[in-house]
Amino acid sequence: MLDKINALLEEVKAFEANTPEEAEAFRVKMLSKKGEIPALFQDFKSVAPEDRKEMGKKLNELKQAATEKVNTVKAQIEAAEGSRKQAEDKPDMTMPVNFWPIGSRHPLSVIRNRINNIFQRIGFVISEGPEIEDDWHNFSALNFPEEHPARDMQDTFFVEKNPDIALRTHTSSVQVRVMESQQPPIRTISPGRVFRNEAISARAHCIFHQVEGLYIDEAVSFADMKQTLLYFAREMFGEETKIRLRPSFFPFTEPSAEMDVSCTLCGGKGCPVCKYSGWIEIMGCGMVDPNVLENCNIDSKKYTGYAFGMGIERIAMIIYQIHDLRMFFENDLRFLKQFEAAN
Ligand code: PHE
């Protein structure tokens, strides 16, 4: 009998089950009324009195071990079942991935986002406005004299004459709208599409993109502008970049300047990209003309400001070393795919 008990004990220890049915079958075999263990309890009656103590102990051990085993195995199966059900409701993170070919941003968007971001980090907010503008917002408010050549049919796409409605030639028009609707402090940049009636070539297009900036507050100086634009140049082209301001003319700024950056390719030594000058022109800028502030109902005695404007195509051409501006508009996938990583 002892052998039988030991054999069953081994069997109990070794028992494993994957389904509730297997576990139940084992319980029936071992513990049910007609099972092995109750049968042993029957046999126990005929055990010699001197062996009873030890045998009884063994038998009870077996019964307890079998009961525990059945309970734990059933609990384990239930738990596994539960987590399997839960997993079915959730996405399976271990599934292999289908790689869909994803698109990429247009290089002009990449550069525009970078420019926006650089100015947003120092508190400029983005403003947008209509692409079809009236004469006031595109020209008159910006101090363009009546006879200014930029108003000419040569440069501007007119939609209607008298009153003049045209495609905006710069996003300065947006800044007029901002000044008209807000009092200083004003810190804004206006990215957007602009239109000029120019022959299409490697260097010019009738549609291009600009980011223009405007900062108006009390006591804003030319030095503030210079420092901000130096910050921009370094963020855009690299820490070593230098800037240079050359006197220029715009109707809406006085004084006005063109800003050059040290050549990003040769660092100023001279190369074909900078035409051996060491410098590359990237934007126009200046102090907002008091007439412009007054046109927009801003007190020019109290407030001063600076403005600047750059072409996104030009910046993108410098950064990506693109020599023909028309590439941006041809939508040739072989060209566009090169910017895939630049999201
Ligand atoms: N609006 C000018 C242009 O389109 C750029 C500019 C903006 C220049 C602000 C000076 C100040 O060319």
Side-chain angles (χ1 to χ4, degrees), residues 146-213:
E146 278 302 329
E147 73 290 357
H148 195 280
R151 294 179 177 224
D152 205 320
M153 292 299 267
Q154 300 296 310
D155 281 306
T156 307
F157 288 115
F158 285 95
V159 177
E160 269 172 36
K161 273 287 193 188
N162 283 329
D164 287 351
I165 304 289
L167 300 181
R168 67 182 178 196
T169 59
H170 50 189
T171 56
S172 304
S173 56
V174 179
Q175 312 203 324
V176 173
R177 288 179 180 275
V178 171
M179 287 188 278
E180 281 174 338
S181 62
Q182 253 169 266
Q183 281 296 308
I186 292 173
R187 271 185 230 107
T188 186
I189 49 169
S190 321
R193 186 155 46 179
V194 300
F195 308 84
R196 285 183 203 175
N197 195 355
E198 285 185 37
I200 296 170
S201 72
R203 299 174 56 89
H205 208 289
C206 56
I207 300 175
F208 59 101
H209 300 80
Q210 283 189 324
V211 177
E212 297 220 354

Side-chain angles (χ1 to χ4, degrees), residues 19-283:
T19 64
E21 292 76 20
E22 280 170 30
E24 178 58 12
F26 186 72
R27 189 194 66 79
V28 171
K29 178 176 175 244
M30 291 292 178
L31 293 159
S32 71
K33 271 193 186 140
K34 291 184 178 154
E36 304 260 16
I37 295 170
L40 283 173
F41 274 97
Q42 282 298 320
D43 296 351
F44 181 70
K45 288 176 186 156
S46 54
V47 169
E50 64 271 24
D51 295 334
R52 283 198 167 192
K53 195 176 172 200
E54 202 202 331
M55 199 69 81
K57 205 176 147 207
K58 270 275 176 196
L59 204 49
N60 275 325
E61 261 174 42
L62 173 64
K63 187 179 177 187
Q64 203 181 348
T67 313
E68 269 173 22
K69 185 71 174 206
V70 167
N71 289 343
T72 42
V73 165
K74 281 189 174 175
Q76 277 168 0
I77 292 171
E78 250 170 55
E81 184 72 2
S83 54
R84 193 181 59 75
K85 281 224 177 82
Q86 211 178 14
E88 266 173 14
D89 299 343
K90 282 189 187 156
D92 178 359
M93 299 302 189
T94 63
M95 286 237 292
V97 181
N98 279 337
F99 284 103
W100 297 102
I102 52 164
S104 51
R105 283 197 206 290
H106 193 281
L108 294 179
S109 301
V110 175
I111 295 296
R112 180 205 54 209
N113 292 350
R114 275 189 60 194
I115 298 172
N116 286 351
N117 200 270
I118 290 170
F119 285 106
Q120 280 174 311
R121 289 210 295 274
I122 53 169
F124 282 76
V125 295
I126 292 180
S127 49
E128 289 181 326
E131 291 180 355
I132 299 175
E133 264 299 4
D134 51 32
D135 178 89
W136 171 256
H137 291 97
N138 197 76
F139 294 124
S140 297
L142 288 162
N143 207 32
F144 278 81
E146 278 302 329
E147 73 290 357
H148 195 280
R151 294 179 177 224
D152 205 320
M153 292 299 267
Q154 300 296 310
D155 281 306
T156 307
F157 288 115
F158 285 95
V159 177
E160 269 172 36
K161 273 287 193 188
N162 283 329
D164 287 351
I165 304 289
L167 300 181
R168 67 182 178 196
T169 59
H170 50 189
T171 56
S172 304
S173 56
V174 179
Q175 312 203 324
V176 173
R177 288 179 180 275
V178 171
M179 287 188 278
E180 281 174 338
S181 62
Q182 253 169 266
Q183 281 296 308
I186 292 173
R187 271 185 230 107
T188 186
I189 49 169
S190 321
R193 186 155 46 179
V194 300
F195 308 84
R196 285 183 203 175
N197 195 355
E198 285 185 37
I200 296 170
S201 72
R203 299 174 56 89
H205 208 289
C206 56
I207 300 175
F208 59 101
H209 300 80
Q210 283 189 324
V211 177
E212 297 220 354
L214 179 70
Y215 190 135
I216 305 175
D217 203 347
E218 286 176 41
V220 174
S221 71
F222 198 87
D224 294 330
M225 178 181 84
K226 202 171 159 186
Q227 203 57 37
T228 304
L229 296 181
L230 175 62
Y231 154 78
F232 166 74
R234 286 183 175 165
E235 291 293 304
M236 198 71 209
F237 300 106
E239 248 179 81
E240 303 300 311
T241 311
K242 296 184 190 62
I243 62 167
R244 169 173 95 167
L245 294 170
R246 286 176 290 107
S248 184
F249 175 81
F250 299 100
F252 35 88
T253 46
E254 183 59 37
S256 304
E258 300 279 356
M259 185 174 108
D260 301 341
V261 289
S262 52
C263 180
T264 50
L265 206 68
C266 65
K269 288 190 202 79
C271 72
V273 171
C274 58
K275 300 199 193 72
Y276 300 97
S277 71
W279 297 95
I280 306 178
E281 183 189 318
I282 63 157
M283 70 167 99

